[in-house]
Amino acid sequence: MAKQVLLIDRDKDHAEALTLYIRRKLFDVVISTSNEQTVLFLDNQALDIIIAHPFATPETAQYLLTFKKANPQVQVIITALKADLDEAMDLFGLNALDYLDLPVNSRALDLALARAGAQTSLLNRMDRYTGRLEDLHTARNLFNQLFEEVPCYIS
């Protein structure tokens, strides 16, 4: 199944060009150019990666931070002008996986998407292993409870 990508950018032409490039990498991409679309996609789509220009609209950065804290498995890649990159880094810190300057270099985007895929895969594996450990802990407790409640001698 292709990874779901939300591309947030105020420049529709730039977003469409990036979308064409990203779709060639076998990702499903949806574009948001307004606050309403962004909120709609964040609330209703199962997203894997968000590529966002945090200053696309005044509220975009706050929406992204709130969404990222509620959904830590979603990877955020920030795109910003070189002049705004430091401000974006100060604003997002470690909540973003990568920071790319505009115009986006295709090799940098490829690496960012690869890192996002690897990070998502790692987080999914960690969730599975955590679930397995919890199941083992529950089974161990049930096993111990059985031998505490049923006195028997094993020789």
Side-chain angles (χ1 to χ4, degrees), residues 45-57:
Q45 295 280 333
L47 300 169
D48 297 306
I49 302 169
I50 298 173
I51 300 173
H53 185 290
F55 310 115
T57 63

Side-chain angles (χ1 to χ4, degrees), residues 74-89:
V74 175
Q75 302 305 312
V76 177
I77 300 170
I78 300 296
T79 61
L81 295 171
K82 284 188 188 239
D84 296 333
L85 214 49
D86 285 337
E87 184 181 350
M89 287 179 188

Side-chain angles (χ1 to χ4, degrees), residues 1 3 47-48 72-75 116-132:
M1 184 167 91
K3 295 208 180 290
L47 300 169
D48 297 306
Q73 74 281 5
V74 175
Q75 302 305 312
Q119 186 72 10
T120 300
S121 175
L122 178 66
L123 290 173
N124 288 338
R125 282 188 291 169
M126 286 175 54
D127 284 344
R128 281 196 315 269
Y129 292 146
T130 301
R132 288 179 186 162

Side-chain angles (χ1 to χ4, degrees), residues 93-146:
L94 294 176
N95 288 313
L97 179 70
D98 213 337
Y99 296 89
L100 304 175
D101 57 339
L102 292 173
V104 175
N105 179 319
S106 61
R107 290 185 66 203
L109 182 59
D110 287 344
L111 289 173
L113 289 171
R115 274 193 294 272
Q119 186 72 10
T120 300
S121 175
L122 178 66
L123 290 173
N124 288 338
R125 282 188 291 169
M126 286 175 54
D127 284 344
R128 281 196 315 269
Y129 292 146
T130 301
R132 288 179 186 162
L133 282 174
E134 289 170 352
D135 291 344
L136 286 172
H137 181 69
T138 301
R140 179 179 176 209
N141 287 342
L142 290 173
F143 182 78
N144 288 338
Q145 182 182 2
L146 173 70

Side-chain angles (χ1 to χ4, degrees), residues 9-84:
D9 200 335
R10 67 178 154 221
D11 183 0
K12 188 150 179 80
D13 293 333
H14 183 256
E16 288 175 358
L18 274 178
T19 298
L20 287 174
Y21 182 79
I22 295 169
R23 281 190 178 142
R24 288 184 188 150
K25 302 295 179 184
L26 303 178
F27 290 91
D28 289 335
V29 183
V30 291
I31 300 172
S32 172
T33 56
S34 70
N35 285 335
E36 295 79 19
Q37 286 178 325
T38 300
V39 171
L40 183 69
F41 288 131
L42 292 178
D43 290 341
N44 299 322
Q45 295 280 333
L47 300 169
D48 297 306
I49 302 169
I50 298 173
I51 300 173
H53 185 290
F55 310 115
T57 63
E59 296 86 10
T60 301
Q62 190 57 43
Y63 289 146
L64 285 173
L65 284 170
T66 303
F67 183 79
K68 177 62 177 173
K69 288 179 183 172
N71 301 283
Q73 74 281 5
V74 175
Q75 302 305 312
V76 177
I77 300 170
I78 300 296
T79 61
L81 295 171
K82 284 188 188 239
D84 296 333

